[in-house]
Amino acid sequence: MNTSDFNWTLIRSFLAALDRGSLMAAARSLGTTQPTVGRHIGELESQLGVVLFERTGRGLEPTLHAQRLADAARAMASAADQLARQASGAQNDGGGTVRISASQPVTCVLLPPVLLQMRLALPDIQIDLVSSNAVSNLLQREADIALRMVRPDQASLVCKRIGQVAIGTYAHRDYLRRRGTPRAPADLLTHDLIGNDRNTDIVRGFADMGFSIKREDFAVRTDDLNAYHAAVGAGLGVGFLPRYAARLNPDLVPLLPLLSIPPLPMWLAVHREIRSNPRIRQVWDFLAQALPQALT
C-alpha cells in the first residue's frame, strides 16, 4: 500500500464500528449514515488488503487484523483530537458554536429556559445540544461542555460542581385517587412502582432503606429517563423524579416528605485545552451562574 494515498479520515469510522459493534450504532455516534460507515470500512479494508470485521447476525465481529490495528488507530485519533482542541483553544473570535452534552431530562426540561437567557445575553453563540445519558468523552470532542451527575475522572478535564439535583417521590393525583396515598416508606411496597430495566439505582435505594425488592416488583420498567418521567406523569404508578422536572406538572403530588433520597451532584466539565476559547468560556461562566438558580 502506498502510504501517501492512505485516507486517514477512515480511521474514525473504523474506531466507531470497533467500539459500538455495529454499523448502525457507529453511524449514530458519528452523526452520519450506516451506508457511509460501511463504505468507509470497505475502503479501509481495501487499502490495507485485509478483512477487519466479520458481519454476523449480532453485528460486527472484529478480526485479528482489526485488533492489531486498534492501538495505532486510537493513537492517530487522539493526536488528531489534540490538534483540533489546540486549534479551537487558540481561536480569538467570541462567536461560533458550542456543543453541550447532558442527560435527557436536563436537555429537555432544565436547560431550555437557561439557554433562552443565554441566547439573549450571548446572541453570537450558537448551541449544539446533545441529549445523551452516557458520559460523553470530551477527549474525543463529542462535546465541548458536559453536564453530568457524576464527576468525570479524566485528568485532562476541568470540572466544577455547580449544585445538586433534589430527588422526590411523586405520583399523579388520579393514581392516588385510585390506589390511595402512601404514608410511610413501607407503604410503597403495596403500590405500583415505576422502576428501571437494567439500572439498579432504585433497587439499591430501597435496599438502603431496609427493603429488599427486585426488578420484577416494578409495575413498569424503563431506563429511558424521558419515558420514566412520562410514565409517572401518566399515572402509571409511584416514581422518583428530580424536583425541577416534577414541579412543572401540577398533577404530580409529592409524597413522603420525610423520606430522605440523596441528591445527585451536578458537574460542569470541559477539556483544559479548549477552556480558554472565548465562546466556550462565556458559555461555561453563564451555565455556572444560571444553573444553580434553576435547580432551586
Side-chain angles (χ1 to χ4, degrees):
M1 182 191 70
N2 185 347
T3 55
S4 64
D5 296 330
F6 184 70
N7 185 354
W8 300 105
T9 62
L10 307 180
I11 289 297
R12 287 197 183 278
S13 290
F14 164 70
L15 288 176
L18 185 67
D19 293 339
R20 269 68 178 189
S22 73
L23 295 178
M24 181 178 296
R28 188 181 301 115
S29 71
L30 294 172
T32 186
T33 65
Q34 182 174 339
T36 297
V37 176
R39 185 174 65 255
H40 286 176
I41 298 299
E43 290 180 19
L44 187 58
E45 290 177 328
S46 177
Q47 292 190 24
L48 296 175
V50 298
V51 175
L52 296 174
F53 296 100
E54 299 290 345
R55 277 66 169 176
T56 70
R58 293 176 298 177
L60 299 177
E61 188 70 28
T63 65
L64 183 59
H65 294 294
Q67 295 169 3
R68 289 173 176 171
L69 179 63
D71 288 344
R74 293 190 194 284
M76 290 168 52
S78 177
D81 291 333
Q82 184 177 9
L83 180 62
R85 288 194 301 270
Q86 291 174 345
S88 178
Q91 294 176 7
N92 295 318
D93 185 6
T97 299
V98 175
R99 192 171 177 86
I100 302 173
S101 171
S103 68
Q104 290 174 342
V106 173
T107 56
C108 295
V109 179
L110 184 65
L111 269 180
V114 173
L115 294 181
L116 172 59
Q117 300 172 33
M118 189 169 70
R119 287 288 300 149
L120 296 174
L122 306 172
D124 293 333
I125 295 178
Q126 299 87 50
I127 298 299
D128 287 341
L129 193 56
V130 182
S131 182
S132 171
N133 296 329
V135 178
S136 287
N137 191 342
L138 297 177
L139 301 178
Q140 296 181 5
R141 295 302 306 275
E142 293 178 8
D144 296 314
I145 295 174
L147 279 162
R148 290 290 171 255
M149 300 300 113
V150 294
R151 180 173 186 169
D153 57 6
Q154 293 97 332
S156 58
L157 301 182
V158 175
C159 300
K160 179 177 183 179
R161 181 167 173 164
I162 58 171
Q164 59 185 21
V165 178
I167 307 296
T169 308
Y170 296 89
H172 194 283
R173 60 180 73 256
D174 290 343
Y175 170 85
L176 297 175
R177 277 195 287 265
R178 295 195 313 269
R179 298 292 307 277
T181 300
R183 304 297 180 184
D187 296 342
L188 294 174
L189 303 181
T190 66
H191 279 264
D192 292 338
L193 295 175
I194 312 298
N196 298 131
D197 181 14
R198 297 179 181 177
N199 187 299
T200 60
D201 288 349
I202 296 178
V203 170
R204 288 187 282 110
F206 271 93
D208 291 342
M209 292 190 294
F211 302 115
S212 177
I213 66 172
K214 54 188 182 299
R215 177 180 179 275
E216 290 73 20
D217 293 323
F218 297 124
V220 178
R221 298 180 291 267
T222 180
D223 290 331
D224 185 291
L225 297 179
N226 280 350
Y228 188 97
H229 290 197
V232 179
L236 290 174
V238 178
F240 309 93
L241 300 174
R243 289 181 183 171
Y244 72 77
R247 67 190 178 202
L248 297 181
N249 186 342
D251 290 322
L252 288 181
V253 179
L255 306 171
L256 304 174
L258 299 181
L259 179 61
S260 177
I261 301 177
L264 300 175
M266 179 171 283
W267 296 87
L268 270 179
V270 66
H271 200 283
R272 293 182 187 277
E273 293 182 2
I274 64 172
R275 190 189 182 199
S276 60
N277 178 288
R279 66 176 180 274
I280 291 176
R281 185 55 190 255
Q282 288 183 82
V283 172
W284 169 280
D285 290 342
F286 193 96
L287 293 177
Q289 180 179 10
L291 282 171
Q293 302 175 32
L295 289 171
T296 58

